[in-house]
Amino acid sequence: MALRRFDIEAGGDSFSFKSETEEKIAFWRAKYPADRQRSAVIPMLWLAQKDNNGWLSEPAMREVADRLEIPYIRVYEVATFYTMFRLQPVGKFHIQLCGTTPCMLRGAEKLRDVCIEEIGPGMFVTDDKRLSWEEVECLGACVNAPMAQINDDYFEDLTPESFRNIIAKLKNGAEVHPGPQIDRINSGPEGGTTVLTEPHLFDGSRSTASVLPNLPGSLPTADGGGAKGLPAQAAPTNTKRETTEATPATKTTLLPKAPPAEAARDVPGERPEAVNIPVENRDDLKRIKGIGPSNEDALNALGICTFRQIAEWTPANIDWVEGNLSFPGRIEREQWVSQAKDLAAGRETDFSRRVDAGEVPSSQDDED
Amino acid sequence: MSDTFKLKIDGKEIEVPKHYTLMQACEEAGAEIPRFCYHERLSVAGNCRMCLVEWEGAPKPIASCAQTVGDMRPNRDGSAPNIRTKGDYVQKARNGVMEFLLINHPLDCPICDQAGECDLQDQAVAYGRGGSRFAENKRAVEDKNMGPLVKTIMTRCIQCTRCVRFAAEVAGVEEIGMISRGENAEITTYLEKSLTSELSGNVIDLCPVGALTSKPYAFNARPWELRKTNSIDVMDAMGAGIRVDAKGAGVMRILPVTNEEVNEEWLSDKSRFIWDGLARQRLDQPFVRTDGKLMPATWGEAFAAVKTALSKPAEKIGVVAGDLIEVEQAKAALDLFRSLGVQNTDCRPAGAAYGTDGVRERYILNPTLMGVEEADALLLIGTNPRVEAAVWNARIRKSWLWGDLKVGLIGEAVDLTYKYDHLGTGGDTLANIASSDFYDVLKNAKRPMVVVGEGALCRADGQAVLAAALKVAQDVGAVADDWAGFGVLHNAAGRVGALDVGFLPGENGKATADILGGTMETIVLLGVDEMDLSRTGGATVIYVGSHGDAGAAHADIVLPCATYTEMDATYVNTEGRVQMTTRAVQPKGEAREGWAIFRAISGVVGKTLPYDTAAALRSLLQGPEGESTVFSGLGFAPGASGAAALKAAIPAGPVSLQSSRFTKVIDDFYLTNPIARASKTMAECSALTTALDTAVAAE
């Protein structure tokens, strides 16, 4: 960490909070009694940074100090103490590359080289103002090392190739997807979950979703995510939330209505044939390697209930489904179509045999 | 539960109050504890770790400054815990701390102004290693701008944060802070803006190393070659204790001397950095105006001219004493002019309405400067203590911050560094004070305090203001047998002393406004430079003073006199505390002490004064043996002993209380007297504050 100073020139003369931020400011300030308002300095600085294109300018810091009636120097101390507050301009997408030991051992140094090649030196902002990067200390995602944080999202299990790919997409304005960049869910094992597969853990009955007002939102998230800053609904990093919102707890025992319009999103590709058949007539899609209970629910919601349907997917269909489920390349990689062809023809695959034998807990249904 | 706790320190059993820190207890036991960050007048930071001591049984050495005795426990057998402040264990711990402190400290003592009076240097002798084991690069820190007074060499900083705590706690102006973290931590002002506190120079004394040093004094002298003289400051009416450090004929610097009752250990920037003004613009020989130009003259020629000027009728001669006049000069001048029959004498150039009735308690600060720490309510009337008595203002702040003092202000609403109730700006507020909420605060206070400043007294209705203020004090119970809570805050060092010798208009005598109003034929100005001298008409003006300022420029005869660092002189501070300056250097050129000039004139005009030495003059002031006068003792403030005199009401005077606002008496803190106006340092500070004011006004 080098010396950190305000970029006075780039900061301009003035700063004002966006009007929609006022609500969040009020929320944070309400947490502290009138004579302890200075305690809100860190969330206030954070909001100011959000409203100032990802960095904290000197006028922004003064605005916070004025609002909380703290001497400037006291706020200055805080702003320079926490590296989370950036004192010079950053790109629209600011990459925080973790360089601490676990990431370093897993190849963070190669990722740094990618950053230098693709963007430039640390804290350098590209001419199009889209990209900048800095090396940071541990971001607490060691299990997915090496990783980087881009704006508010973690991009994990990076390789120089996948990282370069992400940077290229950000440069071109293409969509990128946060989370592990290999075949794993969160920090689960590669290839699919092997433990904690009981659906009730994920159906929302054990958790309540809450939204914090200071969650990022005003900045464009790397994946173009929603205003609340949540990752895209169907992102594989958020299995829990995905099922929470998409499927009620008792869903698998009920006859769902026709595929709800909102379940399908308007994405590139061609929508495959959709059916609506009773649950007992549906195929157990979980016998396909790569489809767990949640994906099965998601597919059902799109009107895909049988092996035959999957077996007949065209490449355009696959694009559409992947777009809806937000896991590019996975269907092809896991060869869902060829598996489905076998299963539709009544044959068995190695995986389906194991499923039928009850050896794959991730493919068990709720009732089991 | 007992309030005290027994400790065994270096084998010596000692019982101390439980609120003591272990460091205080060790010092009580006679042990010396090294420290950098700890300062008894600041909050405890505990970050330098130099004060480590051994507590037998504790797993680690204890930072004694941050360990409260009340939190300690006895040994298992109930005996007092054993503390060792010496020995291998402690020595090794402190050696380690010292080694870390020195890792990044430059080895530049030969070019460091702090060398010779540096805590780090001294303690390195006791705890430092012979050489460094640190082979890596040392860190370097950019120097910071802190204004014209404080020079920074930030690589030397050991991050004790004393300056940060001083600015926040004592000065009340949060301008210094520590930014960044870890190895990159730096002390700075916000974006390197200049310090605006009028107490900022104190961070130089507080800095235990050479990171913050005096900019005007930089590279001027080494501490061991300076002649040190304890004296009294005259830049305001507080009479702060100072040490004048001189080399040869020049004053090199001025430092505060601890006087708990007056200035604690602080000093205002004006008092501290005035010294370059002592060598500039000095009157070092008499001048007489011939053909419209002031020409150098001998004392004989000057006295001849004076004799002519004083041969005018006594009622056409007026004498005004200025802000810096010492008691001896005032006494000698008054004796001389009274013997000539002159009644037009006044020591209140600004025309404040006090002193005429001769009751001393009505023009001094009876509750005393230290009394504000006892007080629980303070009403300031027409005064801004931040510029009129900057160090006292820090004391008010201290009482407000740590005690339960509530402050109310009638007058211009200014930033006093503490919160106050602004009751109003003028006489109408004072007249109707009984209806304000703050009146109840005063009424319910155990030790209410009412302080009037010149801003409220230098007006036509000054006497009515004084009467009304005293009435408020009496009504709220500020005047009791053991508490005299009414006082006047002066801003001129010489005022109380001159009032004490009776330097006021005699029978049918005229006051300053009339003396300077054009009716006189001869006007004698004793260091009066701040007044409008344009209306003196054709009068012959005799100026007696130390600096070539407005008064001298206007004068026909200039008699040079010594200034406060050049003579042993008596000053009475705003509390009525009689104190003496000490001569640190010789008077400039042919300048003489003020009293000696009037003694000489008295010979010339044939009215020889009955004293030949300053000692004889002072013994005359002190009165006969056994008789008690205000000058018979040195160094104490009368305080509550004068309470009885305050119980009577003051007649409201010819003019009734006006509703107009109380104005400020000091426009520019840095330029209040001729010495300050001759100082380059003060000019720089003044320019800076003026520029700041403009910027603020523009926003």
Side-chain angles (χ1 to χ4, degrees), chain B residues 333-376:
Chain B
L334 188 68
D335 286 353
L336 169 66
F337 288 107
R338 283 284 188 274
S339 71
L340 291 171
V342 175
Q343 303 296 326
N344 307 323
T345 51
D346 199 359
C347 68
R348 305 161 300 175
Y354 44 57
T356 37
D357 55 7
V359 181
R360 191 173 194 234
E361 284 71 20
R362 291 180 188 165
Y363 61 80
I364 62 170
L365 190 75
N366 298 291
T368 72
L369 298 168
M370 195 158 79
V372 76
E373 293 186 25
E374 261 181 83
D376 44 2

Side-chain angles (χ1 to χ4, degrees), chain A residues 222-235:
Chain A
D223 63 346
K228 292 287 190 284
L230 301 176
Q233 290 301 307

Side-chain angles (χ1 to χ4, degrees), chain B residues 492-648:
Chain B
R495 192 89 74 243
V496 176
L499 289 167
D500 281 345
V501 298
F503 208 105
L504 290 156
E507 217 170 306
N508 298 321
K510 293 193 165 72
T512 306
D514 292 327
I515 294 172
L516 299 179
T519 56
M520 296 293 140
E521 287 181 26
T522 297
I523 298 173
V524 184
L525 301 177
L526 310 181
V528 179
D529 295 281
E530 291 79 24
M531 301 312 298
D532 175 17
L533 301 174
S534 60
R535 294 185 297 121
T536 52
T540 306
V541 176
I542 301 171
Y543 179 81
V544 184
S546 58
H547 280 70
D549 205 75
H554 197 79
D556 300 297
I557 304 163
V558 174
L559 304 178
C561 73
T563 185
Y564 72 108
T565 51
E566 297 160 4
M567 57 186 173
D568 296 340
T570 310
Y571 281 94
V572 186
N573 83 349
T574 188
E575 310 163 278
R577 184 189 305 269
V578 181
Q579 303 185 104
M580 282 198 70
T581 62
T582 314
R583 169 180 286 189
V585 290
Q586 295 297 323
K588 288 273 178 289
E590 292 177 41
R592 294 291 179 267
E593 293 183 19
W595 76 270
I597 294 173
F598 289 100
R599 169 67 182 74
I601 294 174
S602 74
V604 173
V605 299
K607 300 275 186 187
T608 310
L609 293 171
Y611 29 77
D612 295 332
T613 62
L617 168 55
R618 276 192 282 274
S619 71
L620 193 74
L621 278 171
Q622 283 161 11
E625 193 83 30
E627 193 183 311
S628 172
T629 69
V630 294
F631 296 106
S632 31
L634 276 181
F636 65 87
S641 65
L646 290 172
K647 289 186 175 160

Side-chain angles (χ1 to χ4, degrees), chain B residues 54-399:
Chain B
E54 180 186 4
W55 176 3
E56 200 176 285
K60 293 186 288 184
I62 307 289
S64 59
C65 72
Q67 175 70 48
T68 313
V69 168
D71 290 341
M72 298 175 73
R73 53 180 170 71
N75 292 335
R76 284 194 184 169
D77 60 2
S79 61
N82 291 329
I83 306 295
R84 276 189 286 273
T85 68
K86 301 179 186 72
D88 290 346
Y89 181 85
V90 172
Q91 182 77 20
K92 189 179 170 213
R94 291 180 189 165
N95 285 356
V97 170
M98 179 56 80
E99 186 171 15
F100 274 117
L101 286 175
L102 291 179
I103 274 183
N104 277 317
H105 192 82
L107 202 60
D108 63 352
C109 302
I111 57 155
C112 178
D113 262 338
Q114 191 84 357
E117 49 186 8
C118 174
D119 290 359
L120 189 64
Q121 212 177 25
D122 295 349
Q123 290 176 32
V125 173
Y127 299 103
R129 302 172 62 89
S132 175
R133 293 190 290 177
F134 188 70
E136 290 74 14
N137 289 332
K138 291 190 175 209
R139 82 176 197 148
V141 184
E142 281 170 42
D143 294 343
K144 307 290 184 296
N145 168 46
M146 286 199 183
L149 303 178
V150 182
K151 182 184 169 184
T152 64
I153 299 99
M154 296 317 291
T155 305
R156 295 180 188 147
C157 177
I158 58 168
Q159 280 88 39
C160 70
T161 69
R162 274 187 187 180
C163 52
V164 177
R165 284 173 283 147
F166 174 83
E169 292 163 17
V170 179
V173 182
E174 295 197 43
E175 291 179 327
I176 311 181
M178 182 153 79
I179 61 162
S180 291
R181 62 200 281 188
E183 200 193 16
N184 296 303
E186 299 179 314
I187 299 291
T188 182
T189 53
Y190 181 64
L191 299 183
E192 302 200 25
K193 291 200 168 63
S194 298
L195 295 168
T196 62
S197 169
E198 51 295 298
L199 298 172
S200 64
N202 292 299
V203 299
I204 297 167
D205 293 343
L206 286 172
C207 185
V209 296
L212 306 179
T213 54
S214 167
K215 206 176 239 178
Y217 168 73
F219 307 131
N220 269 4
R222 284 302 200 181
W224 55 84
E225 58 184 8
L226 294 169
R227 221 165 47 240
K228 299 155 183 96
T229 315
N230 281 6
S231 186
I232 296 301
D233 172 60
V234 301
M235 290 302 123
D236 53 38
M238 288 182 66
I242 55 170
R243 194 185 86 193
V244 181
D245 284 7
K247 188 166 82 169
V251 174
M252 288 288 127
R253 62 174 177 176
I254 294 174
L255 297 175
V257 167
T258 305
N259 184 345
E260 284 303 334
E261 295 179 15
V262 178
N263 59 321
E264 300 175 78
E265 63 173 271
W266 316 125
L267 197 57
S268 81
D269 287 351
K270 187 163 51 173
S271 309
R272 180 188 296 265
F273 293 107
I274 192 91
W275 50 266
D276 67 323
L278 295 169
R280 286 203 182 84
Q281 289 284 97
R282 285 305 298 274
L283 300 171
D284 55 358
Q285 64 181 54
F287 291 87
V288 176
R289 193 175 293 273
T290 38
D291 302 331
K293 273 188 85 173
L294 276 178
M295 302 300 286
T298 62
W299 277 105
E301 291 160 3
F303 282 152
V306 169
K307 189 178 180 185
T308 317
L310 295 186
S311 61
K312 300 277 161 45
E315 67 273 15
K316 289 289 181 190
I317 299 175
V319 188
V320 183
D323 288 350
L324 299 182
I325 193 166
E326 71 275 17
V327 170
E328 287 83 353
Q329 182 181 178
K331 172 72 176 159
L334 188 68
D335 286 353
L336 169 66
F337 288 107
R338 283 284 188 274
S339 71
L340 291 171
V342 175
Q343 303 296 326
N344 307 323
T345 51
D346 199 359
C347 68
R348 305 161 300 175
Y354 44 57
T356 37
D357 55 7
V359 181
R360 191 173 194 234
E361 284 71 20
R362 291 180 188 165
Y363 61 80
I364 62 170
L365 190 75
N366 298 291
T368 72
L369 298 168
M370 195 158 79
V372 76
E373 293 186 25
E374 261 181 83
D376 44 2
L378 167 66
L379 176 63
L380 298 167
I381 301 170
T383 181
N384 174 1
R386 191 171 171 192
V387 293
E388 291 172 38
V391 177
W392 188 52
N393 196 57
R395 202 161 190 144
I396 301 177
R397 179 179 156 79
K398 175 173 150 192
S399 184

Side-chain angles (χ1 to χ4, degrees), chain A residues 251-260 275-279 282 300-301 305:
Chain A
K251 179 193 150 292
T252 45
T253 59
L254 286 178
L255 177 69
K257 297 191 187 104
V275 298
N276 180 19
I277 51 176
V279 173
R282 293 178 189 177
N300 287 349
C305 305

